[in-house]
Amino acid sequence: MKKAIISGVVLCSILLGGCNNIEVIESEQEVVVSYNTLFAELQNEIIKSITEQTELDSDALAIMIDGGGGESTVAVGYPKDSKIEGTLIQQIVEDSVKNVSETETNSEERVKITIKIEKY
């Protein structure tokens, strides 16, 4: 939980810091999930997937997951000096959302998830 809060604070600091030349990629998905486990499982899955599929270290990632009332936002920030395309990170996050939502079979709540990928 502390990692999630720290990651959220770091990401917000980056977003509010007024950094120049921030690349932002945004997409939306609608999935069926339970909020009880969504945030923790999703954060773990995103970190695991990105570190396995790229050369990025988990410490280089800033992840913020927020939501309620049928809508959630997943924001992932990574260093702009990395040579990784934002579309690759976006695809990894979308796949992670799909994987987590498929494991959640005890819920019928539909959630619209907005995904934001940013280089900082």
Side-chain angles (χ1 to χ4, degrees), residues 20-103:
N20 294 329
N21 300 323
I22 296 176
E23 175 187 333
V24 178
I25 298 172
E26 192 169 328
S27 67
E28 291 183 358
Q29 285 184 271
E30 190 170 301
V31 295
V32 178
V33 295
S34 167
Y35 279 109
N36 295 336
T37 58
L38 171 67
F39 296 156
E41 286 185 26
L42 189 54
Q43 180 174 345
N44 292 337
E45 178 70 21
I46 290 170
I47 291 171
K48 180 180 142 206
S49 296
I50 290 175
T51 56
E52 286 176 355
Q53 297 179 41
T54 68
E55 78 263 2
L56 291 174
D57 185 41
S58 62
D59 293 338
L61 300 173
I63 298 176
M64 182 178 75
I65 303 173
D66 186 29
E71 293 190 21
S72 293
T73 301
V74 176
V76 178
Y78 67 103
K80 66 180 171 183
D81 62 346
S82 71
K83 301 203 184 314
I84 299 168
E85 292 292 322
T87 53
L88 174 61
I89 301 293
Q90 178 185 6
Q91 187 61 51
I92 293 170
V93 173
E94 287 175 359
D95 291 345
S96 296
V97 168
K98 184 184 266 187
N99 290 340
V100 169
S101 67
E102 288 173 354
T103 61

